[in-house]
Amino acid sequence: MDNINGSLFVDFKQAFDTIDHDILIKKLSCYGLSCSTLHLLQSFLSHRVQSVSFNNNISKASLIRRGVPQDSILGPLLFSIYINDLPDYVSFGNCEMFADDTSIHVSDSKLANVINKLELSGKQ
C-alpha cells in the first residue's frame, strides 16, 4: 500500500516580536560567545521604547520587553538562532524551516496515523 503524506504549515505571527531576550541570551551563551559580546547583545535588545504618532499626536513611550529590531541586520540572525532547535522537538516527520515559516511533513500507510502525527507535532 502507498504511503499517505501530510503537512503542517506554521507561520509564526509577528515572530520577531515574540523573542524572549533571556532565552535568546542563554542560547547565545551556549554557542560560546564571550561575556562582552553577550553584554553587547543584551544592551542591543534591552531598554528599547516605542510610541505611536498619529495626526501630530505622539503617544506615551512604552518599554519593549520582547523581540528583536526587525529593520536591523542582526534581527533575522537572532531570530534564526532563537528557533534553530525547533526540529529537535518534532518527534514525528521532517521539519523544514525558512525564516519565520516552518513546515512539518509526515508519512504513513494509514490516514489516522498521519493525522495523529501532525496533531502531536503541532502540540509540541
Side-chain angles (χ1 to χ4, degrees):
M1 177 177 237
D2 291 334
N3 275 347
I4 299 169
N5 299 308
S7 297
L8 174 67
F9 297 95
V10 181
D11 182 19
F12 297 107
K13 187 175 183 178
Q14 300 175 342
F16 284 69
D17 296 333
T18 63
I19 294 174
D20 183 294
H21 297 162
D22 293 332
I23 293 173
L24 177 60
I25 294 298
K26 287 177 187 174
K27 285 186 174 193
L28 291 168
S29 176
C30 290
Y31 283 108
L33 273 66
S34 68
C35 286
S36 60
T37 302
L38 292 172
H39 289 331
L40 178 66
L41 288 169
Q42 182 68 44
S43 175
F44 173 71
L45 295 171
S46 60
H47 306 297
R48 294 183 300 122
V49 295
Q50 69 181 7
S51 62
V52 176
S53 174
F54 181 72
N55 285 339
N56 295 324
N57 295 313
I58 300 175
S59 69
K60 181 180 174 184
S62 297
L63 183 64
I64 300 173
R65 301 185 190 280
R66 292 182 174 266
V68 295
Q70 294 181 32
D71 294 333
S72 69
I73 293 172
L74 284 178
L77 174 65
L78 293 174
F79 176 77
S80 294
I81 291 169
Y82 187 73
I83 66 163
N84 73 341
D85 59 349
L86 178 64
D88 296 341
Y89 297 95
V90 175
S91 54
F92 302 105
N94 182 31
C95 182
E96 297 177 358
M97 298 170 36
F98 180 78
D100 62 343
D101 293 314
T102 299
S103 60
I104 300 169
H105 310 280
V106 299
S107 180
D108 199 286
S109 60
K110 296 181 181 178
L111 178 60
N113 291 345
V114 169
I115 293 169
N116 188 43
K117 289 177 183 180
L118 288 173
E119 286 177 347
L120 289 172
S121 295
K123 293 178 182 177
Q124 293 178 343

